[in-house]
């Protein structure tokens, strides 16, 4: 028998032979161990994890009390299947109801964020008896067929898969840095919401079942909509009997400095989908709605289940995760440390022209990297330089990732969701000191990219030719 690979490169070479490597699998190192904010690769190199295991490990890696709760449940009862009601499931549903505003009360569980949106789609259709769905042009809701169909994006994300489910209409999101209507906030009077209403009324029956939105669009470019936009969308839904679905797969459970991101906007959605930060390190998702919607939908035959809907193991992990967030005051921590990190990023924006925009809430922050603030030309190559610098200095950023050995850099940029956005989403246990440590590294990366940025005159000449 051959010995196991030892280095990062040896493991990646072995992977090449046996694993279907997709374009977003870009990390050039192979993690072996995690603890708190840090991950170590198979060669023993340490990295600050500013991606929190794809935004899931809100407590950081292997929080001791979380691990203890998972082990305890694993020793007791791990999986039962659909037929059984188990205590951790019931207690988790009760806990979520306590965290949500009225009338959001009843939950159902499954595994991934994609699944949660799939369930919300079915729930909304059965409850309303309607079939059309509205979503946002850069919304991301998952990879299953329904959730993929209500996700925006074109290009590589659509290419080769044929049409999605019928009856989906896309409206523009609020993007005040790059307004699709070329307006300026707040003088615009939220023209994008008016246009959205126009599109909805002219391209649907006027009676869709649901409207899906992310209160903070992560894959869409770390966009935080204006409060008025969200309230307008709430009004549009209420007036037409459309169920407003907040996809909090990524933003829920403290990440934005509130338990749920929709709370920043003073509205209450009809359905909330949750995942990632709910289970922490295990695949758990929830769909929460009012008793009225849940009960009526059940009467009308709503049914959704899978072999792993609300496994005791997953729900016990979710419960422990939430209890630790509560007991350690991590929602408040995300707000305070997030504000500190954001202030540091604003300082960098003042100093470096390539930092076009700093945005986000709590510890869900983004940097838009441009060649210069005037032209706002997306500078994807700059993001690679920053990410590479940070990687070399022990900081893993969420963003486009890095080209691996033999990869074409341009392909890596083109395949990413938003190639010129850097996403900063560390565990919500982050301390001020750790934030400063990361900021120092990020500044080094930005400096390096700034030196490589095409000069504005060269950009305008290029654009003109
Ligand atoms: C807002 C949002 N919804 C849904 C999903 C899909 O979740 P999952 O990857 O767990 O299927 C994601 C994943 O990033 C997401 O960001």
């Amino acid at each position: 028998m051959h010995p196991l690979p030892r280095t990062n490169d040896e493991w990646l070479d072995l992977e090449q032979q046996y694993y279907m490597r997709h374009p977003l699998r870009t990390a050039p190192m192979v993690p072996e161990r995690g603890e708190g904010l840090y991950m170590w690769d198979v060669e023993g190199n340490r990295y600050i994890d500013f991606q929190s295991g794809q935004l899931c490990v809100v407590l950081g890696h292997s929080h001791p009390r979380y691990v203890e709760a998972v082990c305890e449940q694993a020793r007791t009862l791990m999986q039962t299947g659909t037929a059984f009601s188990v205590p951790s499931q019931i207690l988790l549903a009760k806990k979520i109801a306590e965290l949500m505003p009225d009338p959001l009360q009843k939950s159902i569980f499954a595994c991934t964020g994609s699944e949660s949106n799939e369930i919300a789609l079915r729930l909304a259709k059965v409850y309303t008896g309607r079939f059309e769905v509205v979503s946002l042009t850069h919304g991301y809701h998952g990879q299953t067929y329904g959730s993929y169909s209500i996700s925006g994006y074109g290009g590589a994300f659509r290419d080769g898969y044929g049409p999605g489910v019928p009856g989906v209409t896309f409206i523009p999101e609020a993007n005040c840095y790059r307004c699709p209507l070329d307006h300026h906030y707040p003088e615009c009077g939220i023209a994008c919401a008016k246009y959205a209403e126009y599109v909805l009324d002219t391209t649907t029956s006027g009676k869709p079942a649901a409207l899906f939105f992310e209160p903070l669009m992560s894959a869409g470019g770390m966009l935080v909509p204006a409060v008025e936009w969200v309230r307008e969308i709430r009004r549009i839904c209420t007036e037409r009997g459309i169920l407003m679905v907040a996809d909090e797969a990524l933003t829920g459970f403290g990440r934005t400095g509130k338990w749920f991101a929709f709370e920043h906007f003073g509205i209450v959605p009809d359905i909330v989908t949750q995942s990632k930060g709910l289970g922490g390190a295990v695949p758990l998702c929830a769909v929460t709605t009012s008793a009225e919607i849940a009960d009526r939908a059940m009467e009308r035959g709503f049914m959704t289940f899978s072999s792993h809907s609300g496994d005791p193991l997953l729900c016990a992990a979710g419960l422990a995760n939430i209890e630790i967030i509560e007991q350690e005051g991590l929602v408040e921590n995300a707000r305070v440390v997030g504000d500190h990190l954001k202030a540091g990023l604003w300082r960098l924006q003042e100093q470096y022209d390539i930092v076009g925009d700093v945005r986000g809430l709590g510890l869900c922050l983004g940097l838009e990297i441009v060649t210069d603030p005037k032209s706002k030309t997306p500078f994807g190559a700059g993001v690679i330089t920053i990410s590479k610098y940070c990687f070399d200095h022990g900081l893993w950023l969420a963003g486009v990732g890095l080209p691996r050995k033999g990869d074409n850099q341009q392909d890596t940029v083109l395949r990413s969701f938003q190639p010129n956005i850097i996403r900063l989403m560390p565990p919500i246990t982050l301390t001020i000191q750790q934030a400063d440590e990361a900021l120092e590294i990020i500044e080094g990366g930005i400096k390096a990219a700034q030196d490589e940025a095409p000069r504005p005159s060269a950009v305008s000449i290029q654009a003109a030719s």
Side-chain angles (χ1 to χ4, degrees):
M1 204 176 106
H2 294 295
L4 283 179
R6 296 225 306 266
T7 65
N8 289 313
D9 281 352
E10 285 169 7
W11 276 110
L12 296 179
D13 287 345
L14 187 62
E15 177 197 51
Q16 200 67 20
Q17 292 176 54
Y18 298 109
Y19 198 84
M20 292 201 270
R21 185 188 156 204
H22 57 73
L24 299 183
R25 203 176 180 94
T26 48
M29 62 87 168
V30 178
E32 185 174 52
R33 187 166 74 82
E35 193 182 313
L37 179 65
Y38 304 103
M39 278 195 306
W40 285 262
D41 69 15
V42 289
E43 295 173 21
N45 302 306
R46 192 191 81 165
Y47 302 89
I48 297 173
D49 182 4
F50 255 44
Q51 193 180 13
S52 306
Q54 204 148 331
L55 305 326
C56 298
V57 291
V58 279
L59 304 177
H61 295 278
S62 301
H63 187 291
R65 278 167 55 214
Y66 175 81
V67 171
E68 192 45 48
V70 171
C71 293
E72 179 57 30
Q73 188 64 48
R75 278 191 289 267
T76 318
L77 180 68
M78 288 169 77
Q79 204 262 346
T80 50
T82 303
F84 298 94
S85 307
V86 291
S88 57
Q89 212 178 75
I90 299 165
L91 292 176
L92 181 60
K94 177 172 176 285
K95 184 83 223 173
I96 292 176
E98 287 162 8
L99 297 176
M100 295 255 179
D102 286 340
L104 299 168
Q105 185 188 331
K106 291 200 172 184
S107 294
I108 189 162
F109 302 124
C111 293
T112 64
S114 306
E115 257 186 287
S116 68
N117 290 313
E118 205 71 40
I119 293 171
L121 267 173
R122 293 155 63 91
L123 178 67
K125 288 185 181 190
V126 172
Y127 174 73
T128 59
R130 307 170 177 185
F131 72 92
E132 290 162 310
V133 182
V134 183
S135 192
L136 305 184
T137 45
H138 283 92
Y140 181 71
H141 301 289
Q143 292 286 302
T144 51
Y145 215 58
S147 64
Y148 150 80
S149 302
I150 58 166
S151 298
Y153 298 97
F157 291 95
R158 297 252 168 233
D159 207 9
Y161 304 111
V165 301
V168 183
T169 281
F170 289 96
I171 57 172
E173 60 271 357
N175 181 347
C176 295
Y177 185 68
R178 293 183 189 278
C179 174
L181 304 178
D182 222 6
H183 287 338
H184 294 280
Y185 176 79
E187 304 85 55
C188 62
I190 314 295
C192 54
K194 294 196 179 94
Y195 183 63
E197 189 169 20
Y198 165 79
V199 171
L200 195 155
D201 284 339
T202 50
T203 62
T204 73
S205 64
K207 289 184 253 156
L211 182 148
F212 282 71
F213 83 111
E214 295 153 80
L216 187 161
M217 299 177 78
S218 162
M222 303 306 288
L223 300 173
V224 184
V227 170
E228 304 93 303
W229 183 87
V230 180
R231 292 186 180 168
E232 273 299 280
I233 297 297
R234 177 67 274 186
R235 174 191 64 76
I236 291 167
C237 288
T238 305
E239 285 178 6
R240 292 161 180 77
I242 301 169
L243 298 186
M244 185 188 208
V245 184
D247 180 348
E248 296 256 5
L250 184 145
T251 46
F253 301 95
R255 176 153 292 287
T256 68
K258 291 196 186 278
W259 277 101
F260 300 99
F262 68 75
E263 296 174 67
H264 290 279
F265 305 97
I267 55 110
V268 179
D270 299 299
I271 299 176
V272 184
T273 58
Q274 307 132 68
S275 182
K276 299 185 186 268
L278 164 63
V282 302
L284 175 67
C285 75
V287 177
T288 304
T289 189
S290 65
E292 151 66 21
I293 294 174
D295 294 349
R296 291 296 87 72
M298 293 295 168
E299 282 165 20
R300 291 167 195 167
F302 173 66
M303 184 168 64
T304 181
F305 59 88
S306 83
S307 318
H308 296 283
S309 9
D311 287 351
L313 180 73
L314 307 182
C315 291
L319 257 182
N321 191 51
I322 294 177
E323 277 165 17
I324 296 168
I325 295 175
E326 267 181 332
Q327 286 159 12
E328 296 190 3
L330 296 179
V331 180
E332 176 66 0
N333 189 66
R335 189 183 65 74
V336 173
V337 182
D339 283 352
H340 177 82
L341 189 56
K342 203 175 187 184
L345 296 172
W346 274 329
R347 273 197 303 281
L348 297 183
Q349 187 185 18
E350 276 165 23
Q351 277 173 267
Y352 300 95
D353 273 0
I354 61 166
V355 182
D357 199 20
V358 174
R359 52 189 181 240
L361 297 166
L363 284 170
C364 200
L365 300 174
L367 292 179
E368 176 140 4
I369 304 299
V370 294
T371 54
D372 63 280
K374 202 148 185 273
S375 76
K376 293 186 183 175
T377 307
F379 186 28
V383 169
I384 298 264
T385 298
I386 297 168
S387 304
K388 171 96 175 57
Y389 178 96
C390 290
F391 179 74
D392 290 342
H393 290 78
L395 171 66
W396 178 252
L397 290 175
V400 296
L402 288 170
R404 284 184 187 171
K405 197 175 68 175
D407 284 355
N408 175 322
Q409 166 157 326
Q410 187 58 13
D411 282 354
T412 307
V413 172
L414 287 177
R415 282 166 180 164
S416 77
F417 275 88
Q418 295 286 351
N420 71 319
I421 310 288
I422 290 177
R423 302 193 284 163
L424 307 166
M425 300 200 258
I428 62 174
T429 49
L430 191 78
T431 63
I432 298 272
Q433 202 185 1
Q434 290 169 332
D436 288 340
E437 190 188 342
L439 268 172
E440 202 180 313
I441 302 174
I442 293 166
E443 174 162 13
I446 290 175
K447 243 187 219 159
Q450 174 85 53
D451 291 343
E452 291 172 2
R455 303 176 71 115
S457 55
V459 174
S460 42
I461 291 163
Q462 253 174 32
S465 60

